[in-house]
Amino acid sequence: MAEAPDGRNESEEERADRQWQELIQEIRVAQTGVQILFGFLLTVVFTPLFHELPQTDKTIYTVTVVLGSLATGALIGPVAFHRVVSGRRIKPEAVAWASRLTFAGLVLLLATCTAALFLVLRVATHDTLVPWLVAGVLAWYLLCWFVLPLWARIRYTSEH
């Protein structure tokens, strides 16, 4: 068994197994959050206040629910993907596709959280600062979820 470029002594299958386990652990965190958020979003339409909302807020709500649904699908997708291809000896490919689905799910979760925050703050405050507050939170999400990891990837990844 040759040493891999990342310094680990593992076969392609062992590497795929390790990467799969790491990915599943990451997905568990995001899945739980998106499922709870999506569940709460689904109940909003059944509250008396919902029917009093202006059409703009109902549209924002509809977009937010659709985004939440898409995020849920993308973040649960790797589990279904694994189940369908299990035993077919294509784990490296399954890891790659599951990783893509997870990334798409995180982007959709970002959009869902941003839209939900926008809707809640619009309804709660009717303040002209709402877009600015949401933009600030969106910038924070982007920093935490993408900018810092990409910076670390570039900064600490060796070129050889």
Side-chain angles (χ1 to χ4, degrees):
M1 194 176 320
E3 187 170 306
D6 64 359
R8 296 179 183 265
N9 291 323
E10 56 189 7
S11 68
E12 184 179 355
E13 293 81 14
E14 289 169 331
R15 180 181 176 91
D17 286 340
R18 177 181 53 80
Q19 289 176 330
W20 181 259
Q21 291 303 318
E22 291 173 356
L23 185 60
I24 288 300
Q25 291 302 321
E26 295 164 5
I27 291 171
R28 282 188 178 130
V29 173
Q31 254 181 9
T32 302
V34 76
Q35 288 172 325
I36 291 169
L37 177 59
F38 185 51
F40 280 125
L41 285 171
L42 290 176
T43 65
V44 169
V45 74
F46 298 106
T47 63
L49 178 62
F50 179 81
H51 300 289
E52 298 173 17
L53 291 176
Q55 187 56 48
T56 301
D57 290 337
K58 288 179 181 178
T59 301
I60 295 168
Y61 169 77
T62 301
V63 168
T64 305
V65 168
V66 170
L67 288 168
S69 181
L70 294 171
T72 301
L75 290 169
I76 293 174
V79 175
F81 195 100
H82 181 263
R83 187 54 25 226
V84 170
V85 303
S86 182
R88 302 291 180 185
R89 299 192 177 276
I90 59 168
K91 180 137 319 157
E93 293 82 1
V95 168
W97 280 105
S99 182
R100 290 178 190 118
L101 283 169
T102 302
F103 187 80
L106 291 174
V107 170
L108 289 163
L109 179 58
L110 172 71
T112 305
C113 290
T114 303
L117 180 63
F118 183 64
L119 177 62
V120 168
L121 291 178
R122 269 180 59 95
V123 172
T125 69
H126 305 287
D127 193 338
T128 57
L129 288 178
V130 168
W132 295 103
L133 291 171
V134 173
V137 172
L138 174 60
W140 178 251
Y141 287 159
L142 290 170
L143 178 69
C144 293
W145 294 8
F146 301 106
V147 174
L148 288 175
L150 286 172
W151 173 82
R153 179 178 178 167
I154 292 165
R155 171 74 170 86
Y156 298 111
T157 301
S158 63
E159 292 296 324
H160 50 310

